[in-house]
C-alpha cells in the first residue's frame, strides 16, 4: 500500500504533484509519504496488539531523523547496527528503552555509548563480543542487558546478499553453541541475559521461513528454561518483504496470525524489527531525463540520478519500477534507465518497456524508501540528493541537498 497515485495522468505524492516538488526542490529528490509511513507502522501494532510487543524499526533502512521521529511518535523503537544509528535514533527522540543494538563488529566506543544511553539490549553475535561487553560494563560498574543472536540455519529463499540466517553467513551464534553461550553469559558478572534474538534475512515474501525459524528458537527457549534461564524478550528480527513489481507478499497481519499462536501462554515481550516493510513503498526517487541515446535494440534514458543515489539495482540487480511523472500517448520503447556515473554498472532499470520519454521529463523510481538514501554515496563527487516529506497537500524539506562545499568538508591539503 502506498499513496503515490496518478490523478489526471499525473503522478502525485499524497495531495502534491511530483512536478511541483521537482520544481521547488530540484532533482534527484527523495520523496516520502507520511500517510504511508503511518499506515505501515500502525499495521504492525494492530497485527501484534494481542501480545506484549515492541516494534523496533531497522534504522539502516531509512535513517532520516524526520522519518525516525514520525515512527517514534507512532510507538516505534529502533533496531540499530552502529553508534551512528544509535545517535540518529536518540536524536530523533526514540526512547533508549525501545532501542536494540545488533551487528557483528561493535567497537569499544560504540559499546560504551550504548551502555551510557541505557538501551533496551545488545543483540550479541559472538562469544568474543559477549566477553568484551562484560569487560566494558564492568569498568563502568554496570550490568549490560543482552540477548544472544542465534543463527537458526534457515534459508529464507531470498537474494544471498540479503540472507543472514544460514550457517555459512557471519551472523549470530550457531544453534549448537547456543546453550553453552547462554550459560556462559548467565555466569558473567556484568551481563544480564534478557533476550533471545534471530534475524534470517530480508525481502522475505512468505511467512513459512519465519515460522520455521521461530519454532527452532522456541525449542531452544524451552531448553534454557529447563536450565533455569529465564528470557524476557523474544526478538524475531525483521525481513518481511514488499512488492517491488506487484508480486504477492505477506502482510504483518499474516505474519502475526501464524506467529502469535506459537507464543501463547509464554510470558514474553515480542520484539519485531521491520525495516523495508515500513519505509520501502513509502518513498520514491524523483529524477529528470537529461539525454536520450539510441542503443542496440533499445534506448538509453540518461537521468540525473545514478548508482551513488540509488545503489540497489547495481548492488543486487534489484528491480525498481520506473514510472513517468506525466503519462503521454507517445507509445513504449525498450529502455535502459542509466545515470551519469562512469561505471557500466550504473543503471536504475534495464530492458524495460517504458513510455517514450523526452529531455526534461520526470521519472519516479518507485519503492525507494528503504535501503536507498541510506546506501547513497558521494561517488564521482556527486552531492547527495535532498529528501522531502509529504503530508496531504503539504511538503517539508527534511534533508537539504548537499552543496559542492559539503563535498570537501573536513579535507585539508598538507603544507
Ligand atoms: C537489516 C536488519 C533488519 C531489517 O530487515 P528488513 O528486511 O528491512 O525488515 C532487522 N534486524 C536486523 C538485525 C537487521 O540486520
Amino acid at each position: 500500500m502506498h499513496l503515490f497515485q496518478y490523478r489526471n495522468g499525473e503522478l502525485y505524492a499524497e495531495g502534491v504533484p511530483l512536478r511541483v516538488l521537482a520544481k521547488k526542490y530540484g532533482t534527484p529528490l527523495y520523496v516520502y509519504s507520511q500517510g504511508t509511513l503511518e499506515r505501515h507502522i500502525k499495521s504492525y501494532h494492530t497485527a501484534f496488539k494481542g501480545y506484549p510487543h515492541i516494534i523496533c524499526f531497522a534504522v539502516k533502512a531509512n535513517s532520516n531523523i524526520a522519518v525516525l521521529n514520525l515512527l517514534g511518535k507512532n510507538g516505534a523503537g529502533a533496531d540499530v547496527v552502529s553508534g551512528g544509528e544509535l545517535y540518529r535514533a536518540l536524536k530523533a527522540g526514540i526512547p533508549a528503552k525501545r532501542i536494540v543494538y545488533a551487528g557483528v563488529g561493535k567497537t569499544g566506543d560504540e559499546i560504551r555509548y550504548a551502555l551510557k544511553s541505557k538501551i533496551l539490549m545488545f543483540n550479541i553475535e559472538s562469544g568474543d563480543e559477549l566477553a568484551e561487553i562484560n569487560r566494558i560494563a564492568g569498568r563502568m560498574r554496570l550490568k549490560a542487558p543482552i540477548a544472544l543472536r542465534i543463527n537458526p540455519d534457515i534459508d529464507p529463499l531470498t537474494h544471498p546478499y540479503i540472507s543472514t540466517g544460514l550457517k555459512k553467513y557471519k551472523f549470530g551464534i550457531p544453534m549448537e553453541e547456543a546453550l553453552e553461550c547462554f550459560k556462559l553469559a548467565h555466569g558473567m558478572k556484568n551481563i544480564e541475559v534478557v533476550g533471545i534474538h534471530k534475524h534470517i534475512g530480508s525481502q522475505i515474501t512468505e511467512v513459512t521461513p519465519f515460522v520455521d525459524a521461530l519454532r527452532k528458537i522456541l525449542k531452544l527457549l524451552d531448553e534454557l528454561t529447563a536450565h533455569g534461564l529465564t528470557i524476557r524478550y523474544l526478538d524475531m528480527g525483521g525481513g518481511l518483504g514488499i512488492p517491488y513489481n506487484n508480486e504477492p507478499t505477506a502482510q504483518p497481519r499474516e505474519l502475526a496470525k501464524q506467529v502469535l499462536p506459537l507464543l501463547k501462554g509464554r510470558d514474553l515481550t515480542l520484539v519485531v524489527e521491520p525495516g523495508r516493510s515500513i519505509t520501502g513503498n513509502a518513498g520514491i526517487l524523483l529524477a529528470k531525463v537529461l539525454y536520450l541515446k539510441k542503443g542496440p535494440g533499445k534506448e538509453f534514458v540518461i537521468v540525473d540520478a545514478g548508482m551513488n543515489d540509488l545503489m540497489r539495482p547495481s548492488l543486487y540487480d534489484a528491480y525498481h519500477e520506473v514510472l513517468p511523472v506525466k503519462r503521454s500517448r507517445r507509445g513504449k520503447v525498450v529502455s535502459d534507465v542509466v545515470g551519469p556515473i562512469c561505471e557500466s554498472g550504473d543503471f536504475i532499470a534495464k530492458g524495460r518497456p517504458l513510455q517514450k520519454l523526452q529531455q526534461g521529463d520526470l521519472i519516479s523510481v518507485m519503492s525507494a524508501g528503504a535501503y536507498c538514501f541510506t546506501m547513497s554515496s558521494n561517488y564521482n563527487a556527486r552531492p547527495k540528493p535532498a529528501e522531502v516529506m509529504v503530508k496531504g497537500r503539504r511538503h517539508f524539506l527534511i534533508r537539504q541537498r548537499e552543496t559542492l562545499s559539503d563535498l570537501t568538508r573536513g579535507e585539508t591539503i598538507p603544507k
Side-chain angles (χ1 to χ4, degrees):
M1 194 296 302
H2 63 74
L3 300 172
F4 298 93
Q5 308 287 347
Y6 282 103
R7 292 191 199 171
N8 302 319
E10 209 188 336
L11 195 56
Y12 277 61
E14 301 197 10
V16 185
L18 290 176
R19 164 183 48 89
V20 168
L21 298 175
K23 186 151 185 239
K24 168 139 187 161
Y25 302 105
T27 53
L29 180 72
Y30 276 98
V31 180
Y32 305 113
S33 150
Q34 177 162 335
T36 310
L37 290 167
E38 283 166 346
R39 280 202 211 182
H40 288 174
I41 184 69
K42 281 178 189 155
S43 76
Y44 268 95
H45 285 304
T46 308
F48 288 97
K49 75 171 183 292
Y51 200 84
H53 68 270
I54 309 175
I55 308 298
C56 291
F57 172 68
V59 172
K60 73 180 189 290
N62 190 316
S63 65
N64 185 292
I65 57 172
V67 172
L68 298 180
N69 174 265
L70 177 70
L71 297 176
K73 277 188 190 144
N74 282 277
D79 160 45
V80 303
V81 294
S82 71
E85 287 191 354
L86 175 57
Y87 171 77
R88 283 181 168 278
L90 292 171
K91 181 129 181 147
I94 293 182
K97 275 291 159 252
R98 295 207 299 251
I99 298 180
V100 297
Y101 184 0
V104 296
K106 303 175 187 82
T107 67
D109 283 344
E110 290 177 316
I111 292 165
R112 273 183 286 276
Y113 178 33
L115 281 170
K116 229 171 44 197
S117 307
K118 306 222 172 302
I119 62 165
L120 179 65
M121 62 187 184
F122 291 88
N123 289 333
I124 290 195
E125 309 237 11
S126 68
D128 274 7
E129 182 194 335
L130 178 64
E132 181 68 358
I133 292 182
N134 181 47
R135 193 184 65 80
I136 294 173
R139 288 255 174 103
M140 296 171 71
R141 300 179 197 287
L142 293 171
K143 255 188 157 180
I146 67 111
L148 293 185
R149 177 174 182 171
I150 305 302
N151 186 331
D153 197 25
I154 287 280
D155 191 345
L157 311 171
T158 181
H159 189 285
Y161 283 13
I162 50 180
S163 167
T164 58
L166 278 170
K167 255 191 204 173
K168 62 180 174 181
Y169 297 120
K170 69 180 177 183
F171 299 99
I173 292 157
M175 209 56 165
E176 313 82 76
E177 295 166 28
L179 181 60
E180 272 319 298
C181 203
F182 267 106
K183 283 188 192 161
L184 183 72
H186 191 64
M188 286 177 166
K189 192 159 160 274
N190 294 94
I191 292 288
E192 187 192 2
V193 180
V194 296
I196 187 164
H197 175 237
K198 64 124 182 109
H199 171 73
I200 53 174
S202 202
Q203 188 52 19
I204 303 166
T205 53
E206 289 169 44
V207 172
T208 317
F210 292 103
V211 172
D212 292 349
L214 199 61
R215 280 187 201 282
K216 284 192 168 186
I217 295 291
L218 289 172
K219 210 167 141 244
L220 173 62
L221 201 67
D222 290 338
E223 253 181 277
L224 297 177
T225 312
H227 282 81
L229 283 153
T230 47
I231 299 290
R232 274 185 273 157
Y233 297 100
L234 172 65
D235 186 339
M236 63 174 287
L240 206 56
I242 59 167
Y244 280 99
N245 190 14
N246 293 317
E247 61 271 50
T249 49
Q251 298 294 310
R253 68 171 176 280
E254 282 136 28
L255 181 67
K257 210 174 143 199
Q258 298 210 32
V259 161
L260 291 184
L262 301 176
L263 305 180
K264 223 172 148 186
R266 291 175 186 269
D267 187 16
L268 293 165
T269 296
L270 180 69
V271 178
V272 194
E273 303 173 337
R276 190 189 309 271
S277 50
I278 302 276
T279 59
N281 286 333
I284 59 114
L285 175 62
L286 191 56
K288 193 170 74 185
V289 177
L290 296 174
Y291 304 106
L292 296 153
K293 190 165 145 173
K294 266 250 117 355
K298 62 184 171 190
E299 182 142 274
F300 288 110
V301 178
I302 302 163
V303 298
D304 62 359
M307 64 187 280
N308 72 299
D309 304 305
L310 194 152
M311 195 187 191
R312 296 186 70 257
S314 308
L315 185 64
Y316 310 128
D317 211 10
Y319 179 98
H320 283 268
E321 193 179 7
V322 173
L323 295 176
V325 167
K326 200 164 171 41
R327 276 181 177 154
S328 77
R329 297 219 173 80
R330 285 182 220 138
K332 292 195 168 175
V333 281
V334 176
S335 308
D336 280 8
V337 181
V338 301
I341 302 274
C342 297
E343 298 274 351
S344 302
D346 177 28
F347 67 94
I348 285 172
K350 265 190 180 163
R352 297 278 177 87
L354 280 190
Q355 167 185 309
K356 177 110 183 73
L357 292 159
Q358 294 180 343
Q359 270 181 296
D361 282 353
L362 295 168
I363 60 156
S364 172
V365 186
M366 307 306 288
S367 315
Y371 304 106
C372 290
F373 188 92
T374 48
M375 283 189 179
S376 69
S377 77
N378 293 115
Y379 187 41
N380 278 204
R382 287 167 50 81
K384 287 189 191 180
E387 296 180 288
V388 166
M389 180 77 78
V390 172
K391 177 182 167 61
R393 291 179 170 194
R394 292 186 294 162
H395 39 91
F396 309 91
L397 184 66
I398 58 171
R399 192 185 209 270
Q400 289 178 1
R401 182 174 302 286
E402 285 185 353
T403 62
L404 293 179
S405 65
D406 287 333
L407 292 175
T408 51
R409 188 154 56 100
E411 294 179 25
T412 45
I413 301 170
K415 288 242 161 65

